Amino acid sequence: MSDAKLFSPAVAGAIEMKNRVVMAPLTRNRAQPENDAPRDLNVEYYEQRADAGLIITEASQISPQGKGYAWTPGIYSDDQIEGWKKVTDAVHAKGGKIVIQLWHVGRISHPVLQPGGADPVAPSAIAADSKTFDGTQFVGTPKPRALDASEIPGIIEDYRTATVNARKAGFDGVEIHAANGYLIDQFLRDSSNKRDDAYGGSIENRTRFLKEVLDAVVGAWDGGHVGIRLSPFSNANDISDSNPQELFSQVVRLLNPYNLAYLHLVEGQTGGSREIPEGGDLGVLYALFNGARMANNGYDHDSAIEAVDSGAVDLVAFGRPFIANPDLVTRLKKNAALNELDRDTLYGGGAKGYTDYPTLEQASVAAE
Ligand code: 8OZ
């Protein structure tokens, strides 16, 4: 057993964790198709992973408009609150903590996934060279409709309501999804935001939407129950910026007055290379922040232990390893081998590749 700091308790704002191994948000497309509510299968999946110091749920749309893929869960209806309540109860009964990731996809959607077959919305009417899954096939993301400034308060209100709903559902907090080229990131970056009003142009203007989201979310709970995920150097979903280091330095500075629980950074390309472009420096961004620092992307046993022991970060979020290893914390403590990920069952489907990955204990019984 390891006595590495990775396995020691931590406090992030109001969230106390039994260890520093975090389950990263992972889209799995297995909510109830009729109402996008979590179902018993989802309860079992999260419960199996409650040994994590903190679970961050899969991204969950704050409104029907915020949806961009088939069968992702929402956090805006009573059915969804009820479904999530079963998840949080199960995780808490196992001594775990869980926050929900609040999501609006913006232009990463398709009319077949939108209420009334409407066009997806974005800061500007610029299509992303990306794809989404509509329930039948992968389809290109079409040109979105630019949001009128008068529509923005309604979206901010959806973030506020989603936060209230998360409290009702028994979560330990919320994570604002401001990463990976979705709506908040679309406002932040100058490749997707060409607005000439108060929400576009200068960095101050491009961060205005995020500030309004923070005001709403922190106003509905408090900063100690709110984390945020950014992916400063990722080009996921066709996003880019002319000066990401400057942009995200300003973003982190604006976070500090909210006294957030944690800052969660995708280091490098989402789910890909950890390489940072010239002029980029994640250490500078972490150092600017006044709360707990959470790292993600491609960490393993050795690099996670080193990242926390060295003081570079406080928490490490694991994505794919948590899909294939419900008992990831135990395996990391023992430096045991990990199950291999089955890529064919990542998105959609049932229990296969979801709740049927064996723990070490189950594997050893099966081997006898
Ligand atoms: C994979 C597939 C669909 C969505 C993200 C929510 O990248 C996602 C996502 C990941 O943040």
Side-chain angles (χ1 to χ4, degrees), residues 27 59 69 101 103 177 180 182 229 237 270 347:
T27 290
Y69 306 82
Q101 196 190 44
W103 195 28
H177 191 347
N180 298 345
Y182 296 107
R229 191 180 212 212
N237 287 312
T270 310
Y347 307 117

Short mmCIF file of all heavy atoms in Angstrom, two decimals, residues 27 59 69 101 103 177 180 182 229 237 270 347, ligand 1:
data_model
loop_
_atom_site.label_atom_id
_atom_site.label_comp_id
_atom_site.label_asym_id
_atom_site.label_seq_id
_atom_site.Cartn_x
_atom_site.Cartn_y
_atom_site.Cartn_z
N THR A 27 -18.77 11.47 -20.65
CA THR A 27 -20.02 11.29 -21.40
C THR A 27 -20.17 9.83 -21.79
O THR A 27 -19.28 9.25 -22.41
CB THR A 27 -20.00 12.21 -22.64
OG1 THR A 27 -20.11 13.56 -22.18
CG2 THR A 27 -21.15 11.90 -23.59
N ALA A 59 -21.13 15.28 -18.21
CA ALA A 59 -21.72 16.58 -18.51
C ALA A 59 -23.24 16.43 -18.64
O ALA A 59 -23.72 15.49 -19.28
CB ALA A 59 -21.13 17.11 -19.80
N TYR A 69 -25.98 15.78 -27.81
CA TYR A 69 -25.76 14.37 -28.17
C TYR A 69 -26.96 13.58 -27.65
O TYR A 69 -27.60 13.96 -26.67
CB TYR A 69 -24.50 13.80 -27.49
CG TYR A 69 -23.24 14.59 -27.73
CD1 TYR A 69 -22.95 15.72 -26.97
CD2 TYR A 69 -22.32 14.18 -28.70
CE1 TYR A 69 -21.80 16.45 -27.19
CE2 TYR A 69 -21.15 14.91 -28.92
CZ TYR A 69 -20.90 16.04 -28.17
OH TYR A 69 -19.75 16.75 -28.37
N GLN A 101 -21.65 18.07 -13.38
CA GLN A 101 -21.08 19.01 -14.35
C GLN A 101 -22.20 19.66 -15.16
O GLN A 101 -22.97 18.98 -15.84
CB GLN A 101 -20.08 18.30 -15.28
CG GLN A 101 -19.21 19.34 -16.00
CD GLN A 101 -18.37 18.76 -17.11
OE1 GLN A 101 -18.85 17.97 -17.90
NE2 GLN A 101 -17.12 19.19 -17.20
N TRP A 103 -23.75 21.84 -18.14
CA TRP A 103 -23.33 21.85 -19.56
C TRP A 103 -24.34 22.54 -20.45
O TRP A 103 -25.54 22.28 -20.36
CB TRP A 103 -23.23 20.39 -19.97
CG TRP A 103 -22.52 20.01 -21.22
CD1 TRP A 103 -21.50 20.64 -21.84
CD2 TRP A 103 -22.75 18.80 -21.96
NE1 TRP A 103 -21.08 19.90 -22.93
CE2 TRP A 103 -21.83 18.77 -23.02
CE3 TRP A 103 -23.64 17.72 -21.82
CZ2 TRP A 103 -21.78 17.72 -23.94
CZ3 TRP A 103 -23.59 16.69 -22.73
CH2 TRP A 103 -22.67 16.70 -23.78
N HIS A 177 -18.92 23.54 -16.65
CA HIS A 177 -18.18 23.03 -17.82
C HIS A 177 -17.88 24.22 -18.74
O HIS A 177 -18.74 24.67 -19.49
CB HIS A 177 -19.02 21.99 -18.55
CG HIS A 177 -18.28 21.21 -19.61
ND1 HIS A 177 -17.04 21.58 -20.09
CD2 HIS A 177 -18.60 20.07 -20.28
CE1 HIS A 177 -16.65 20.69 -21.00
NE2 HIS A 177 -17.58 19.78 -21.13
N ASN A 180 -13.52 22.45 -23.61
CA ASN A 180 -13.78 21.56 -24.75
C ASN A 180 -14.67 22.13 -25.85
O ASN A 180 -15.37 21.39 -26.55
CB ASN A 180 -14.34 20.22 -24.25
CG ASN A 180 -13.35 19.52 -23.35
OD1 ASN A 180 -12.16 19.88 -23.33
ND2 ASN A 180 -13.80 18.54 -22.59
N TYR A 182 -17.40 23.99 -25.83
CA TYR A 182 -18.84 24.14 -25.66
C TYR A 182 -19.18 25.62 -25.39
O TYR A 182 -18.32 26.48 -25.52
CB TYR A 182 -19.35 23.18 -24.58
CG TYR A 182 -19.16 21.73 -25.01
CD1 TYR A 182 -18.18 20.93 -24.44
CD2 TYR A 182 -19.90 21.21 -26.07
CE1 TYR A 182 -17.96 19.62 -24.88
CE2 TYR A 182 -19.70 19.90 -26.51
CZ TYR A 182 -18.74 19.12 -25.91
OH TYR A 182 -18.52 17.84 -26.38
N ARG A 229 -14.19 23.73 -14.89
CA ARG A 229 -13.26 23.01 -15.77
C ARG A 229 -12.96 23.86 -17.00
O ARG A 229 -13.88 24.33 -17.68
CB ARG A 229 -13.84 21.68 -16.20
CG ARG A 229 -12.81 20.79 -16.89
CD ARG A 229 -13.40 19.46 -17.30
NE ARG A 229 -12.39 18.40 -17.25
CZ ARG A 229 -12.38 17.35 -18.06
NH1 ARG A 229 -13.31 17.20 -18.97
NH2 ARG A 229 -11.44 16.42 -17.94
N ASN A 237 -13.43 20.19 -30.44
CA ASN A 237 -14.61 20.79 -31.07
C ASN A 237 -14.27 22.07 -31.82
O ASN A 237 -15.03 23.04 -31.80
CB ASN A 237 -15.73 21.02 -30.05
CG ASN A 237 -16.40 19.73 -29.65
OD1 ASN A 237 -16.75 18.93 -30.50
ND2 ASN A 237 -16.54 19.51 -28.35
N THR A 270 -7.67 17.64 -25.21
CA THR A 270 -8.65 16.80 -24.51
C THR A 270 -8.55 15.34 -24.96
O THR A 270 -8.73 15.04 -26.14
CB THR A 270 -10.07 17.34 -24.79
OG1 THR A 270 -10.08 18.74 -24.53
CG2 THR A 270 -11.10 16.63 -23.92
N TYR A 347 -19.90 4.97 -25.80
CA TYR A 347 -21.07 5.86 -25.93
C TYR A 347 -22.32 5.07 -26.27
O TYR A 347 -22.39 4.43 -27.31
CB TYR A 347 -20.80 6.91 -27.02
CG TYR A 347 -19.51 7.66 -26.81
CD1 TYR A 347 -18.47 7.58 -27.72
CD2 TYR A 347 -19.32 8.44 -25.66
CE1 TYR A 347 -17.28 8.27 -27.53
CE2 TYR A 347 -18.13 9.12 -25.45
CZ TYR A 347 -17.11 9.03 -26.38
OH TYR A 347 -15.94 9.70 -26.18
C1 8OZ B 1 -17.06 12.93 -25.46
C2 8OZ B 1 -18.20 12.78 -26.22
C3 8OZ B 1 -19.21 13.70 -26.09
C4 8OZ B 1 -19.09 14.76 -25.22
C5 8OZ B 1 -16.53 16.83 -23.39
C6 8OZ B 1 -18.80 16.40 -22.71
O1 8OZ B 1 -15.64 16.64 -24.22
C7 8OZ B 1 -17.79 16.06 -23.50
C8 8OZ B 1 -17.92 14.93 -24.46
C9 8OZ B 1 -16.92 13.99 -24.59
O2 8OZ B 1 -16.42 17.65 -22.49
#
